[in-house]
Amino acid sequence: MRLSKLAFSLAFLSSGVVYAAPANTLINCVATPPMKLSPAITNDANDFNASSQQIYNRLLSFKAGTLELEPSLAEKWEISEDGLTYTFHLRKDVKFHANKTFNPTRPLNADDVLFSFQRQLDADHPYHKVSGGTYFYYHWMNLPKILKSVEKVDDHTVKITLQQPNTPFLTTVAMDFLSIYSKEYADKLLAEGKPELLDQQPIGTGPFVFQTYQTDHAVRYTANLDYFEGKAKFDRLIFSITPDAGTRYAKLRAGECDVIDFPNISDIAQMKQDPAVNLLEREGLNLAYIGLNSTKPALNNPKVRQALHYATDKKSIVAAVYQGGGSVATNPFPDAVLGYNPNLPQYEFNLEKAKALLAEAGFADGFETEIWVQPVVRPSNPNPRRTAEIIQTDWAKIGVKAKLVTHEWADFNKRTREGEFSAGTYGWTSRNGDPDNFLFPLLSKANIPGTNYGRWTDETFENLLAQAVQTQNREERAKLYQQAVEIANEQTPFIPLAHAINYVPLSKRVQGFVQNPFGYTPFYGVSLSE
């Protein structure tokens, strides 16, 4: 009888044979390979984990495990009274990494900060079009409208001027897409006619130095001996690409992985009792939702969207798909986020209300549509296909016949942004914890085409977002976001489904790992016991 991979590994464990990861090497087993190792040009958490969280630094950072800002490459900063000018004072003697073709001749200075910002904001910058020139988060965070200028005051001082006050701007500065690159390295590659290597063979200032990337196999790093906060507590880091969740768990138990991502939700109960595993968990800053394309026939009617909302049994989805690892979404963001509205009217599962709304909209006999199924697991949803199947069954009860459709991941994203879909399973994770980082990317007209997949617009909603982002008073900001959420709830541009718990299974030899609120896995500060 042939044993499964998991059973095979467990058999070896029970017989006393344990495969151990190499000494002083941390092995992180990940589900999918990074598509890009350059944080400016990606939008994927897996890419950020493999690049910005290990190789790079930002001007500011989030204190480990929190939403609290702390100094990083900038040791201090000032904000002008009018909230328009931010002056950052850089650390001195911060060293960039070296590789086989590049040895830095100087430490970090203001030129590197200017290069990293201007590459994204200046269409005439020599690197703007390199590697496709697509700067997702730069646009999603509305920086084309917010930023006025980035200037060098002296070698260790940078002044950033805004077009208008922006209360969460410092949290934006701490986000991965504003990682700081080496201008000296970029200039060398440009002179050699190889500018794309900036994004393929990364050089940063972070705790780990990139070594090699074997596509679909592994990304390898070594500890930065000159890291300005001190060398990491282990010498080597490997991202081992292991697509199957069961195999990742087996390797964790066998000592072949120290950390794994995206465990099977059905394995969580066993992991909690497993003596070989230390399972960390925390509520994620995420949202799983059903996107509804408001430009498509039938779905361009808010009553139809409301009907589909009533016809979606969220409680059953959370019970079947999340199995205790999530909660029903009542707002576009979790209750820990500023502006959460506890008094929002809810769309409790009600097929009669749904049928009545369809009839009012002129679709008493229902209609045909598609549900696009996310082809990968992401922090917001452990099983998009099962989610879509439940919704397909629910909607059929009111006469809406939905065909399930999927595409390869990159194609799925591209075609969604271009507005090709009708309905689909989607997810979002905040990268700074601010309500604007949910509502602006997902629902603002500024992100059409883009992450406002449903292409819904509402001027009152837009005005509330614009006012809230410039409001300093926390209570006043909260009220403005609560009003915006009320409009979105009534218009139903998408159907909020669930907020997932983030799980990080670790081997027992991993010490000091602090779970990240954004679902990242930064490994600086971690140590490995004997």
Side-chain angles (χ1 to χ4, degrees):
M1 180 177 178
R2 187 177 179 181
L3 291 174
S4 68
K5 291 180 181 178
L6 178 58
F8 182 80
S9 293
L10 295 186
F12 270 89
L13 280 170
S14 63
S15 66
V17 178
V18 177
Y19 292 102
N24 227 10
T25 298
L26 188 149
I27 299 180
N28 177 33
C29 289
V30 298
T32 55
M35 295 182 287
K36 299 172 184 175
L37 291 174
S38 185
I41 61 172
T42 189
N43 65 330
D44 191 272
N46 290 323
D47 294 358
F48 290 141
N49 268 333
S51 62
S52 44
Q53 289 295 308
Q54 321 304 334
I55 302 169
Y56 292 92
N57 296 105
R58 275 70 53 204
L59 292 176
L60 307 179
S61 63
F62 293 98
K63 188 175 181 180
T66 77
L67 301 178
E68 179 184 346
L69 290 171
E70 63 179 4
S72 186
L73 295 179
E75 58 185 359
K76 61 181 179 178
W77 61 92
E78 297 101 28
I79 307 172
S80 63
E81 288 188 10
D82 62 7
L84 294 176
T85 302
Y86 292 71
T87 304
F88 296 93
H89 302 275
L90 304 182
R91 292 181 189 271
K92 297 180 181 179
D93 299 321
V94 174
K95 296 181 180 181
F96 278 101
H97 306 157
N99 62 22
K100 292 180 180 179
T101 64
F102 173 72
N103 279 296
T105 64
R106 62 164 177 81
L108 168 91
N109 67 27
D111 293 332
D112 303 306
V113 178
L114 264 63
F115 169 84
S116 303
F117 276 76
Q118 289 177 339
R119 176 188 181 179
Q120 301 185 57
L121 67 91
D122 181 3
D124 295 323
H125 191 276
Y127 266 85
H128 185 74
K129 294 184 174 66
V130 171
S131 302
T134 302
Y135 304 100
F136 298 98
Y137 269 97
Y138 176 75
H139 291 279
W140 295 349
M141 300 307 296
N142 204 25
L143 290 192
K145 184 175 180 180
I146 292 170
L147 278 181
K148 182 177 181 181
S149 63
V150 182
E151 303 169 272
K152 174 181 177 179
V153 177
D154 58 41
D155 275 353
H156 294 95
T157 311
V158 174
K159 182 173 71 173
I160 299 178
T161 304
L162 307 185
Q163 300 274 10
Q164 57 196 32
N166 185 272
T167 300
F169 180 68
L170 285 179
T171 64
T172 300
V173 169
M175 292 172 67
D176 294 63
F177 78 103
L178 289 179
S179 293
I180 304 303
Y181 293 69
S182 166
K183 183 180 186 298
E184 185 182 17
Y185 181 46
D187 288 345
K188 177 181 183 294
L189 293 174
L190 191 65
E192 294 172 350
K194 304 174 182 177
E196 68 282 351
L197 293 184
L198 181 76
D199 302 312
Q200 298 168 11
Q201 298 176 9
I203 291 286
T205 58
F208 298 98
V209 180
F210 171 75
Q211 296 297 315
T212 61
Y213 178 22
Q214 296 169 272
T215 305
D216 296 331
H217 178 63
V219 190
R220 298 176 183 272
Y221 315 79
T222 56
N224 179 4
L225 301 179
D226 298 316
Y227 189 48
F228 64 87
E229 292 191 45
K231 177 188 171 295
K233 297 175 183 178
F234 55 91
D235 293 337
R236 291 170 295 277
L237 172 64
I238 299 173
F239 276 44
S240 176
I241 298 156
T242 312
D244 181 71
T247 302
R248 292 196 297 278
Y249 182 23
K251 285 187 172 185
L252 179 67
R253 297 210 69 212
E256 297 175 47
C257 298
D258 293 299
V259 183
I260 65 173
D261 66 3
F262 302 132
N264 278 328
I265 199 71
S266 57
D267 289 333
I268 294 299
Q270 181 180 347
M271 286 182 177
K272 289 180 178 180
Q273 305 299 322
D274 194 330
V277 176
N278 180 17
L279 182 68
L280 303 184
E281 62 179 86
R282 71 179 290 172
E283 293 182 357
L285 290 169
N286 58 51
L287 171 71
Y289 66 95
I290 295 297
L292 301 173
N293 192 336
S294 63
T295 69
K296 297 291 185 179
L299 296 175
N300 59 7
N301 188 322
K303 289 187 177 180
V304 171
R305 300 195 297 268
Q306 291 167 359
L308 296 178
H309 204 159
Y310 276 118
T312 302
D313 191 350
K314 299 181 189 181
K315 291 180 180 178
S316 292
I317 291 171
V318 169
V321 174
Y322 293 80
Q323 299 180 32
S327 59
V328 169
T330 62
N331 278 238
F333 39 71
D335 58 7
V337 176
L338 182 74
Y340 176 85
N341 191 333
N343 301 313
L344 207 61
Q346 292 302 302
Y347 291 80
E348 298 292 345
F349 185 53
N350 190 319
L351 295 177
E352 294 308 312
K353 277 190 177 182
K355 290 176 182 177
L357 283 165
L358 279 185
E360 289 177 31
F363 295 94
D365 297 325
F367 58 92
E368 295 183 0
T369 189
E370 293 180 342
I371 299 176
W372 283 26
V373 183
Q374 206 170 9
V376 295
V377 171
R378 281 297 179 265
S380 58
N381 192 333
N383 194 334
R385 174 155 290 274
R386 181 66 182 128
T387 299
E389 289 170 348
I390 294 172
I391 293 168
Q392 180 188 43
T393 300
D394 286 343
W395 288 4
K397 296 172 184 175
I398 60 170
V400 176
K401 299 176 182 178
K403 178 184 176 182
L404 302 189
V405 175
T406 194
H407 300 281
E408 184 272 329
W409 183 224
D411 195 38
F412 179 91
N413 284 328
K414 179 177 181 292
R415 294 168 74 167
T416 292
R417 287 194 295 270
E418 291 172 352
E420 188 176 326
F421 84 110
S422 293
T425 60
Y426 297 98
W428 182 259
T429 297
S430 171
R431 303 303 177 197
N432 68 4
D434 194 86
D436 190 67
N437 192 220
F438 282 92
L439 298 182
F440 184 81
L442 296 182
L443 295 174
S444 173
K445 65 182 180 182
N447 282 307
I448 302 173
T451 43
N452 182 349
Y453 299 148
R455 304 188 173 212
W456 171 81
T457 62
D458 182 277
E459 285 304 315
T460 303
F461 179 88
E462 294 286 341
N463 292 335
L464 286 166
L465 291 194
Q467 188 179 347
V469 83
Q470 297 185 53
T471 299
Q472 296 280 343
N473 183 278
R474 184 175 175 85
E475 290 185 4
E476 291 178 11
R477 276 196 90 204
K479 290 178 182 177
L480 291 168
Y481 285 121
Q482 286 176 343
Q483 292 175 46
V485 165
E486 287 176 2
I487 293 171
N489 188 64
E490 194 275 330
Q491 288 288 311
T492 312
F494 58 58
I495 301 173
L497 290 180
H499 307 298
I501 291 174
N502 289 337
Y503 293 103
V504 182
L506 311 170
S507 73
K508 289 297 180 74
R509 78 175 190 142
V510 176
Q511 306 295 313
F513 184 93
V514 178
Q515 198 169 2
N516 185 277
F518 312 118
Y520 294 142
T521 50
F523 291 110
Y524 184 71
V526 169
S527 63
L528 301 173
S529 64
E530 292 296 329

